[in-house]
Amino acid sequence: MPDCHFEAILPSWLKEFFAEHSEALLSDSERMKFAIELARQNVINGTGGPFGAAVFERSSGNLVAVGVNLVVQSNCSHAHAEMLALAIAEHRLSSYTLNQPGFPGYELVSSSEPCAMCFGAIIWSGVTRLVCGASTIDAKHAGFDEGAKPEKWIAELENRGIEVATGICRNKACAVLQLYLDNGGVVYNGRAR
Amino acid sequence: MPDCHFEAILPSWLKEFFAEHSEALLSDSERMKFAIELARQNVINGTGGPFGAAVFERSSGNLVAVGVNLVVQSNCSHAHAEMLALAIAEHRLSSYTLNQPGFPGYELVSSSEPCAMCFGAIIWSGVTRLVCGASTIDAKHAGFDEGAKPEKWIAELENRGIEVATGICRNKACAVLQLYLDNGGVVYNGRAR
Protein backbone atom coordinates (compact mmCIF):
# COMPACT_ATOMS: atom_id res chain seq x y z
CA MET A 1 0.00 0.00 0.00
CA PRO A 2 1.40 3.41 -0.92
CA ASP A 3 2.21 5.93 1.82
CA CYS A 4 -0.71 7.93 3.15
CA HIS A 5 1.18 10.50 5.11
CA PHE A 6 3.10 13.71 4.55
CA GLU A 7 5.01 15.59 7.20
CA ALA A 8 7.36 18.55 7.42
CA ILE A 9 9.21 19.50 10.58
CA LEU A 10 10.98 22.83 10.94
CA PRO A 11 14.61 22.76 12.13
CA SER A 12 15.41 22.51 15.83
CA TRP A 13 17.46 25.74 15.86
CA LEU A 14 14.15 27.60 15.74
CA LYS A 15 13.60 26.92 19.42
CA GLU A 16 16.54 29.10 20.39
CA PHE A 17 15.66 31.58 17.66
CA PHE A 18 12.15 32.11 19.03
CA ALA A 19 13.49 32.59 22.55
CA GLU A 20 15.51 35.54 21.25
CA HIS A 21 12.70 36.96 19.08
CA SER A 22 9.55 37.02 21.18
CA GLU A 23 8.48 40.66 20.94
CA ALA A 24 5.76 41.97 18.60
CA LEU A 25 7.18 43.52 15.43
CA LEU A 26 5.37 46.65 14.33
CA SER A 27 6.96 47.85 11.10
CA ASP A 28 7.44 46.23 7.69
CA SER A 29 11.15 46.66 8.14
CA GLU A 30 11.24 44.87 11.52
CA ARG A 31 9.10 42.01 10.23
CA MET A 32 11.20 41.66 7.10
CA LYS A 33 14.46 41.62 9.06
CA PHE A 34 12.95 38.76 11.07
CA ALA A 35 12.06 36.81 7.89
CA ILE A 36 15.51 37.46 6.43
CA GLU A 37 17.15 36.29 9.66
CA LEU A 38 15.15 33.05 9.38
CA ALA A 39 16.56 32.61 5.87
CA ARG A 40 20.09 33.39 7.06
CA GLN A 41 19.90 30.97 9.97
CA ASN A 42 18.60 28.30 7.58
CA VAL A 43 21.74 28.77 5.47
CA ILE A 44 24.16 29.01 8.39
CA ASN A 45 22.71 25.89 10.01
CA GLY A 46 22.72 23.99 6.71
CA THR A 47 19.06 23.13 7.04
CA GLY A 48 17.82 24.40 3.67
CA GLY A 49 17.59 27.06 1.01
CA PRO A 50 18.03 30.81 1.57
CA PHE A 51 14.39 31.65 2.08
CA GLY A 52 12.41 32.55 5.20
CA ALA A 53 8.81 33.61 5.75
CA ALA A 54 6.51 34.46 8.62
CA VAL A 55 2.81 35.10 9.17
CA PHE A 56 1.96 38.04 11.43
CA GLU A 57 -1.23 39.54 12.78
CA ARG A 58 -1.27 42.72 10.75
CA SER A 59 -2.26 45.21 13.43
CA SER A 60 -0.57 43.79 16.53
CA GLY A 61 2.57 42.46 14.89
CA ASN A 62 2.22 39.24 16.84
CA LEU A 63 3.93 36.27 15.22
CA VAL A 64 1.66 33.39 14.20
CA ALA A 65 3.92 31.03 12.27
CA VAL A 66 7.23 30.79 10.46
CA GLY A 67 8.64 28.76 7.61
CA VAL A 68 12.03 28.16 6.05
CA ASN A 69 12.89 26.41 2.82
CA LEU A 70 13.24 22.65 3.40
CA VAL A 71 13.08 21.36 -0.19
CA VAL A 72 16.34 19.44 -0.32
CA GLN A 73 16.48 18.37 3.31
CA SER A 74 12.90 17.11 3.49
CA ASN A 75 12.74 15.69 -0.07
CA CYS A 76 9.73 17.82 -0.84
CA SER A 77 9.69 20.18 -3.81
CA HIS A 78 6.91 22.27 -2.35
CA ALA A 79 8.44 22.77 1.11
CA HIS A 80 9.03 26.45 0.39
CA ALA A 81 9.24 28.87 3.30
CA GLU A 82 5.95 30.53 2.40
CA MET A 83 4.09 27.22 2.06
CA LEU A 84 5.19 26.04 5.49
CA ALA A 85 4.47 29.37 7.21
CA LEU A 86 0.97 29.48 5.72
CA ALA A 87 0.18 25.82 6.46
CA ILE A 88 1.39 26.09 10.04
CA ALA A 89 -0.56 29.36 10.57
CA GLU A 90 -3.76 27.72 9.32
CA HIS A 91 -3.13 24.67 11.47
CA ARG A 92 -2.54 26.85 14.52
CA LEU A 93 -5.76 28.82 13.92
CA SER A 94 -7.72 25.66 13.04
CA SER A 95 -8.93 27.21 9.79
CA TYR A 96 -8.31 26.49 6.13
CA THR A 97 -8.35 30.24 5.52
CA LEU A 98 -6.78 33.12 7.41
CA ASN A 99 -9.65 35.31 6.21
CA GLN A 100 -12.42 34.00 8.45
CA PRO A 101 -14.96 36.53 9.74
CA GLY A 102 -13.77 37.71 13.17
CA PHE A 103 -10.11 37.05 12.40
CA PRO A 104 -7.88 40.11 12.88
CA GLY A 105 -6.26 40.02 9.43
CA TYR A 106 -2.94 38.39 8.63
CA GLU A 107 0.02 39.07 6.39
CA LEU A 108 2.78 36.96 4.94
CA VAL A 109 6.28 38.42 5.12
CA SER A 110 8.72 36.62 2.85
CA SER A 111 12.42 37.17 2.27
CA SER A 112 11.85 36.82 -1.50
CA GLU A 113 8.99 37.41 -3.92
CA PRO A 114 6.91 34.24 -4.41
CA CYS A 115 7.49 31.59 -7.06
CA ALA A 116 4.63 30.48 -9.32
CA MET A 117 3.41 27.91 -6.77
CA CYS A 118 3.58 30.18 -3.73
CA PHE A 119 1.82 32.91 -5.72
CA GLY A 120 -1.19 30.60 -6.00
CA ALA A 121 -0.90 29.42 -2.40
CA ILE A 122 -0.99 33.01 -1.16
CA ILE A 123 -4.37 33.48 -2.85
CA TRP A 124 -5.84 30.38 -1.17
CA SER A 125 -4.38 31.16 2.25
CA GLY A 126 -6.59 34.15 3.01
CA VAL A 127 -3.76 36.53 3.94
CA THR A 128 -4.70 40.11 3.13
CA ARG A 129 -1.18 41.44 2.65
CA LEU A 130 2.12 40.21 1.23
CA VAL A 131 5.46 41.82 2.07
CA CYS A 132 8.51 40.82 0.00
CA GLY A 133 12.27 41.38 0.27
CA ALA A 134 14.36 40.16 -2.67
CA SER A 135 12.73 40.45 -6.08
CA THR A 136 11.93 37.74 -8.61
CA ILE A 137 14.87 39.03 -10.64
CA ASP A 138 17.18 38.78 -7.61
CA ALA A 139 16.16 35.14 -7.08
CA LYS A 140 16.67 34.36 -10.77
CA HIS A 141 20.04 36.09 -10.67
CA ALA A 142 21.01 33.69 -7.87
CA GLY A 143 19.96 30.76 -10.07
CA PHE A 144 16.51 30.03 -8.66
CA ASP A 145 13.84 29.51 -11.27
CA GLU A 146 10.65 31.17 -10.06
CA GLY A 147 8.44 29.41 -12.59
CA ALA A 148 5.87 31.12 -14.77
CA LYS A 149 3.82 33.61 -12.79
CA PRO A 150 1.14 35.65 -14.55
CA GLU A 151 2.84 38.68 -16.06
CA LYS A 152 0.95 41.06 -13.76
CA TRP A 153 1.10 38.89 -10.67
CA ILE A 154 1.04 41.79 -8.23
CA ALA A 155 -2.10 43.21 -9.86
CA GLU A 156 -3.67 39.73 -9.73
CA LEU A 157 -3.13 39.62 -5.96
CA GLU A 158 -4.35 43.20 -5.48
CA ASN A 159 -7.47 42.43 -7.54
CA ARG A 160 -8.21 39.71 -5.00
CA GLY A 161 -7.90 42.06 -2.04
CA ILE A 162 -4.30 41.24 -1.15
CA GLU A 163 -2.06 44.28 -0.68
CA VAL A 164 1.52 43.84 -1.86
CA ALA A 165 4.66 45.62 -0.66
CA THR A 166 7.92 44.78 -2.43
CA GLY A 167 11.60 45.58 -2.03
CA ILE A 168 11.55 45.81 1.78
CA CYS A 169 15.17 45.46 3.02
CA ARG A 170 15.98 44.13 -0.44
CA ASN A 171 19.76 44.38 -0.04
CA LYS A 172 19.73 42.38 3.18
CA ALA A 173 17.57 39.73 1.51
CA CYS A 174 19.90 39.54 -1.48
CA ALA A 175 22.88 39.16 0.82
CA VAL A 176 21.40 35.88 2.12
CA LEU A 177 20.93 34.57 -1.43
CA GLN A 178 24.60 35.35 -2.04
CA LEU A 179 25.65 33.75 1.26
CA TYR A 180 23.93 30.54 0.16
CA LEU A 181 25.80 30.52 -3.15
CA ASP A 182 29.10 31.32 -1.42
CA ASN A 183 28.50 28.36 0.88
CA GLY A 184 27.99 26.03 -2.11
CA GLY A 185 24.27 25.53 -1.50
CA VAL A 186 22.24 23.38 -3.90
CA VAL A 187 20.22 25.36 -6.44
CA TYR A 188 17.32 23.07 -7.28
CA ASN A 189 14.78 23.71 -10.01
CA GLY A 190 12.65 20.61 -10.53
CA ARG A 191 15.62 18.67 -11.87
CA ALA A 192 18.48 17.25 -9.89
CA ARG A 193 21.85 18.89 -10.59
CA MET B 1 6.89 29.08 20.76
CA PRO B 2 4.96 28.76 17.47
CA ASP B 3 4.30 25.34 15.99
CA CYS B 4 7.15 23.82 14.00
CA HIS B 5 5.31 20.97 12.40
CA PHE B 6 2.97 20.35 9.49
CA GLU B 7 1.30 17.06 8.74
CA ALA B 8 -1.33 15.71 6.36
CA ILE B 9 -2.77 12.22 6.61
CA LEU B 10 -4.83 10.69 3.83
CA PRO B 11 -8.20 9.17 4.78
CA SER B 12 -8.40 5.65 6.17
CA TRP B 13 -10.78 4.42 3.42
CA LEU B 14 -7.76 4.38 1.11
CA LYS B 15 -6.56 1.13 2.70
CA GLU B 16 -9.54 -0.78 1.35
CA PHE B 17 -9.39 1.18 -1.91
CA PHE B 18 -5.80 0.14 -2.56
CA ALA B 19 -6.61 -3.49 -1.83
CA GLU B 20 -9.12 -3.36 -4.67
CA HIS B 21 -6.87 -1.43 -7.08
CA SER B 22 -3.47 -3.06 -7.02
CA GLU B 23 -2.85 -3.79 -10.70
CA ALA B 24 -0.72 -1.64 -13.01
CA LEU B 25 -2.77 0.75 -15.14
CA LEU B 26 -1.53 1.07 -18.70
CA SER B 27 -3.72 3.61 -20.48
CA ASP B 28 -4.54 7.27 -19.82
CA SER B 29 -8.16 6.29 -19.53
CA GLU B 30 -7.51 3.62 -16.88
CA ARG B 31 -5.29 5.93 -14.84
CA MET B 32 -7.80 8.75 -15.07
CA LYS B 33 -10.68 6.54 -13.98
CA PHE B 34 -8.56 5.64 -10.95
CA ALA B 35 -7.97 9.33 -10.12
CA ILE B 36 -11.65 10.14 -10.60
CA GLU B 37 -12.63 7.22 -8.36
CA LEU B 38 -10.34 8.67 -5.67
CA ALA B 39 -12.22 11.98 -6.01
CA ARG B 40 -15.59 10.21 -5.88
CA GLN B 41 -14.65 8.19 -2.80
CA ASN B 42 -13.46 11.39 -1.13
CA VAL B 43 -16.91 12.91 -1.69
CA ILE B 44 -18.86 9.79 -0.72
CA ASN B 45 -16.85 9.33 2.46
CA GLY B 46 -17.14 13.02 3.35
CA THR B 47 -13.38 13.38 3.69
CA GLY B 48 -12.83 16.34 1.36
CA GLY B 49 -13.34 18.11 -1.92
CA PRO B 50 -14.11 16.44 -5.27
CA PHE B 51 -10.55 16.10 -6.48
CA GLY B 52 -8.22 13.11 -6.76
CA ALA B 53 -4.73 12.68 -8.17
CA ALA B 54 -2.13 9.97 -8.54
CA VAL B 55 1.51 9.67 -9.56
CA PHE B 56 2.35 6.75 -11.86
CA GLU B 57 5.52 5.40 -13.39
CA ARG B 58 4.89 6.39 -16.97
CA SER B 59 5.98 3.24 -18.74
CA SER B 60 4.97 0.50 -16.30
CA GLY B 61 1.78 2.10 -15.00
CA ASN B 62 2.79 1.24 -11.46
CA LEU B 63 1.21 3.46 -8.82
CA VAL B 64 3.61 5.54 -6.72
CA ALA B 65 1.37 7.81 -4.66
CA VAL B 66 -2.14 9.22 -4.44
CA GLY B 67 -3.74 12.36 -3.08
CA VAL B 68 -7.23 13.64 -2.43
CA ASN B 69 -8.35 17.12 -1.53
CA LEU B 70 -8.20 17.64 2.25
CA VAL B 71 -8.43 21.44 2.45
CA VAL B 72 -11.43 21.78 4.75
CA GLN B 73 -10.90 18.64 6.78
CA SER B 74 -7.21 19.25 7.49
CA ASN B 75 -7.44 23.04 7.82
CA CYS B 76 -4.84 23.49 5.12
CA SER B 77 -5.53 25.62 2.06
CA HIS B 78 -2.81 23.92 0.05
CA ALA B 79 -3.85 20.33 0.76
CA HIS B 80 -4.96 19.86 -2.83
CA ALA B 81 -4.99 16.35 -4.30
CA GLU B 82 -2.08 17.11 -6.62
CA MET B 83 0.07 18.60 -3.86
CA LEU B 84 -0.35 15.58 -1.62
CA ALA B 85 0.24 13.05 -4.40
CA LEU B 86 3.44 14.82 -5.46
CA ALA B 87 4.74 15.28 -1.90
CA ILE B 88 4.06 11.67 -0.99
CA ALA B 89 5.68 10.43 -4.22
CA GLU B 90 8.83 12.45 -3.53
CA HIS B 91 8.89 11.25 0.06
CA ARG B 92 8.53 7.64 -1.07
CA LEU B 93 11.36 8.01 -3.59
CA SER B 94 13.52 9.99 -1.14
CA SER B 95 14.04 12.74 -3.71
CA TYR B 96 12.93 16.37 -3.95
CA THR B 97 12.46 15.84 -7.67
CA LEU B 98 10.88 13.01 -9.64
CA ASN B 99 13.26 13.84 -12.48
CA GLN B 100 16.48 12.41 -11.05
CA PRO B 101 18.89 10.72 -13.49
CA GLY B 102 18.09 7.01 -13.46
CA PHE B 103 14.46 7.50 -12.49
CA PRO B 104 12.00 5.90 -14.93
CA GLY B 105 9.88 9.00 -15.56
CA TYR B 106 6.70 9.87 -13.71
CA GLU B 107 3.38 11.45 -14.53
CA LEU B 108 0.68 13.15 -12.50
CA VAL B 109 -2.89 12.14 -13.31
CA SER B 110 -5.43 14.56 -11.85
CA SER B 111 -9.21 14.53 -11.96
CA SER B 112 -9.19 18.27 -12.77
CA GLU B 113 -6.81 20.71 -14.43
CA PRO B 114 -4.49 22.35 -11.88
CA CYS B 115 -5.16 25.57 -10.00
CA ALA B 116 -2.58 28.37 -10.02
CA MET B 117 -0.69 26.85 -7.06
CA CYS B 118 -0.66 23.28 -8.35
CA PHE B 119 0.45 24.56 -11.77
CA GLY B 120 3.62 25.85 -10.10
CA ALA B 121 4.02 22.75 -7.95
CA ILE B 122 3.90 20.52 -11.02
CA ILE B 123 6.90 22.37 -12.45
CA TRP B 124 8.95 21.87 -9.27
CA SER B 125 7.96 18.22 -8.84
CA GLY B 126 9.89 16.87 -11.80
CA VAL B 127 7.00 14.96 -13.37
CA THR B 128 7.39 14.77 -17.14
CA ARG B 129 3.71 14.43 -17.99
CA LEU B 130 0.38 15.78 -16.72
CA VAL B 131 -2.95 14.12 -17.49
CA CYS B 132 -6.15 16.05 -16.65
CA GLY B 133 -9.85 15.19 -16.54
CA ALA B 134 -12.22 18.10 -15.88
CA SER B 135 -11.17 21.44 -17.34
CA THR B 136 -10.46 24.72 -15.59
CA ILE B 137 -13.81 25.94 -16.93
CA ASP B 138 -15.58 22.88 -15.50
CA ALA B 139 -14.08 23.57 -12.06
CA LYS B 140 -15.05 27.24 -12.27
CA HIS B 141 -18.55 26.25 -13.37
CA ALA B 142 -18.80 24.19 -10.17
CA GLY B 143 -17.77 27.28 -8.16
CA PHE B 144 -14.10 26.53 -7.60
CA ASP B 145 -11.80 29.47 -8.24
CA GLU B 146 -8.67 28.19 -9.97
CA GLY B 147 -6.68 31.36 -9.34
CA ALA B 148 -4.70 33.22 -11.96
CA LYS B 149 -2.65 30.84 -14.08
CA PRO B 150 -0.53 32.20 -16.91
CA GLU B 151 -2.80 32.54 -19.94
CA LYS B 152 -0.85 29.87 -21.85
CA TRP B 153 -0.26 27.56 -18.91
CA ILE B 154 -0.18 24.40 -21.00
CA ALA B 155 2.49 25.88 -23.28
CA GLU B 156 4.45 26.97 -20.18
CA LEU B 157 4.51 23.36 -18.96
CA GLU B 158 5.37 21.99 -22.40
CA ASN B 159 8.21 24.51 -22.72
CA ARG B 160 9.63 22.99 -19.55
CA GLY B 161 9.51 19.47 -20.91
CA ILE B 162 6.20 18.45 -19.33
CA GLU B 163 3.74 16.85 -21.74
CA VAL B 164 0.09 17.70 -21.12
CA ALA B 165 -3.02 15.68 -21.99
CA THR B 166 -6.40 17.25 -21.18
CA GLY B 167 -10.03 16.20 -21.27
CA ILE B 168 -9.42 12.53 -20.42
CA CYS B 169 -12.74 11.05 -19.19
CA ARG B 170 -13.92 14.63 -18.76
CA ASN B 171 -17.59 13.76 -18.31
CA LYS B 172 -16.84 11.29 -15.53
CA ALA B 173 -14.67 13.90 -13.80
CA CYS B 174 -17.39 16.54 -14.11
CA ALA B 175 -19.93 14.13 -12.65
CA VAL B 176 -17.90 14.03 -9.40
CA LEU B 177 -17.83 17.83 -9.22
CA GLN B 178 -21.63 17.77 -9.57
CA LEU B 179 -21.96 15.00 -6.98
CA TYR B 180 -20.07 17.17 -4.50
CA LEU B 181 -22.41 20.11 -5.11
CA ASP B 182 -25.48 17.87 -4.89
CA ASN B 183 -24.20 16.63 -1.51
CA GLY B 184 -23.89 20.20 -0.22
CA GLY B 185 -20.08 20.21 -0.16
CA VAL B 186 -18.22 23.34 0.91
CA VAL B 187 -16.85 25.39 -1.99
CA TYR B 188 -13.85 27.20 -0.50
CA ASN B 189 -11.84 29.87 -2.26
CA GLY B 190 -9.48 31.54 0.19
CA ARG B 191 -12.38 33.03 2.13
CA ALA B 192 -14.72 31.22 4.45
CA ARG B 193 -18.30 30.98 3.20
Side-chain angles (χ1 to χ4, degrees):
Chain A
M1 176 175 159
D3 294 345
C4 285
H5 180 254
F6 167 67
E7 188 173 33
I9 301 170
L10 294 179
S12 56
W13 54 260
L14 276 165
K15 190 172 178 182
E16 193 176 336
F17 185 80
F18 286 135
E20 293 168 4
H21 296 79
S22 58
E23 71 280 17
L25 301 176
L26 296 179
S27 69
D28 279 354
S29 169
E30 284 179 306
R31 296 178 194 181
M32 180 56 71
K33 284 176 188 162
F34 177 84
I36 292 169
E37 185 59 20
L38 285 168
R40 203 174 73 85
Q41 290 293 331
N42 205 34
V43 174
I44 290 172
N45 286 281
T47 44
F51 303 101
V55 174
F56 291 96
E57 265 190 33
R58 288 184 61 174
S59 53
S60 70
N62 287 330
L63 179 67
V64 181
V66 305
V68 291
N69 180 292
L70 298 177
V71 168
V72 175
Q73 285 72 2
S74 67
N75 284 323
C76 179
S77 60
H78 65 63
H80 287 196
E82 300 95 316
M83 301 295 281
L84 292 170
L86 292 171
I88 292 170
E90 291 168 352
H91 178 72
R92 185 171 180 194
L93 296 167
S94 301
S95 173
Y96 62 86
T97 170
L98 302 176
N99 199 10
Q100 290 276 7
F103 276 15
Y106 296 98
E107 70 181 21
L108 177 69
V109 180
S110 177
S111 65
S112 284
E113 289 178 3
C115 77
M117 171 183 68
C118 294
F119 161 77
I122 287 162
I123 295 171
W124 306 145
S125 72
V127 292
T128 55
R129 190 158 184 262
L130 170 67
V131 182
C132 306
S135 72
T136 302
I137 291 168
D138 298 331
K140 281 189 179 168
H141 186 73
F144 288 98
D145 185 358
E146 291 279 61
K149 283 183 282 194
E151 198 180 346
K152 298 181 178 176
W153 65 274
I154 292 177
E156 292 283 0
L157 294 178
E158 289 173 340
N159 289 342
R160 290 163 181 271
I162 301 168
E163 294 174 26
V164 180
T166 58
I168 309 297
C169 307
R170 181 178 171 186
N171 289 345
K172 280 184 187 293
C174 288
V176 177
L177 299 177
Q178 189 59 49
L179 176 68
Y180 185 71
L181 298 180
D182 293 345
N183 284 5
V186 179
V187 178
Y188 50 83
N189 288 309
R191 288 168 188 263
R193 296 207 169 187
Chain B
M1 175 176 158
D3 294 346
C4 285
H5 179 253
F6 167 67
E7 188 173 35
I9 302 169
L10 294 179
S12 57
W13 55 259
L14 275 165
K15 191 171 178 183
E16 192 176 337
F17 185 81
F18 286 134
E20 293 168 2
H21 296 81
S22 58
E23 71 280 18
L25 301 175
L26 296 178
S27 69
D28 280 354
S29 169
E30 283 179 307
R31 295 178 194 181
M32 180 56 71
K33 285 175 187 162
F34 177 84
I36 293 170
E37 185 59 19
L38 285 169
R40 202 175 73 84
Q41 289 294 332
N42 205 35
V43 174
I44 290 172
N45 287 280
T47 44
F51 303 101
V55 175
F56 291 95
E57 264 190 34
R58 287 184 61 175
S59 53
S60 70
N62 287 331
L63 179 67
V64 181
V66 305
V68 290
N69 179 291
L70 298 177
V71 169
V72 174
Q73 284 72 2
S74 68
N75 285 323
C76 179
S77 60
H78 66 62
H80 287 196
E82 301 96 317
M83 301 295 280
L84 292 169
L86 293 170
I88 293 170
E90 290 168 351
H91 177 73
R92 185 171 180 193
L93 296 167
S94 301
S95 173
Y96 62 85
T97 170
L98 302 176
N99 199 10
Q100 290 276 7
F103 276 15
Y106 297 97
E107 69 182 21
L108 177 69
V109 180
S110 178
S111 65
S112 285
E113 288 179 5
C115 77
M117 169 183 69
C118 294
F119 161 77
I122 286 163
I123 295 171
W124 306 147
S125 71
V127 292
T128 55
R129 190 160 184 262
L130 170 67
V131 182
C132 306
S135 71
T136 302
I137 290 168
D138 298 332
K140 280 189 179 166
H141 186 73
F144 288 98
D145 184 358
E146 291 279 60
K149 282 183 283 194
E151 197 180 347
K152 297 181 178 175
W153 65 274
I154 292 176
E156 292 283 0
L157 293 177
E158 288 173 339
N159 288 342
R160 289 163 182 271
I162 302 168
E163 294 175 27
V164 180
T166 58
I168 309 299
C169 307
R170 181 178 172 187
N171 289 345
K172 280 185 187 292
C174 288
V176 177
L177 298 178
Q178 188 60 47
L179 175 68
Y180 185 71
L181 298 180
D182 293 346
N183 285 5
V186 178
V187 179
Y188 49 83
N189 286 310
R191 289 168 188 261
R193 296 206 168 187

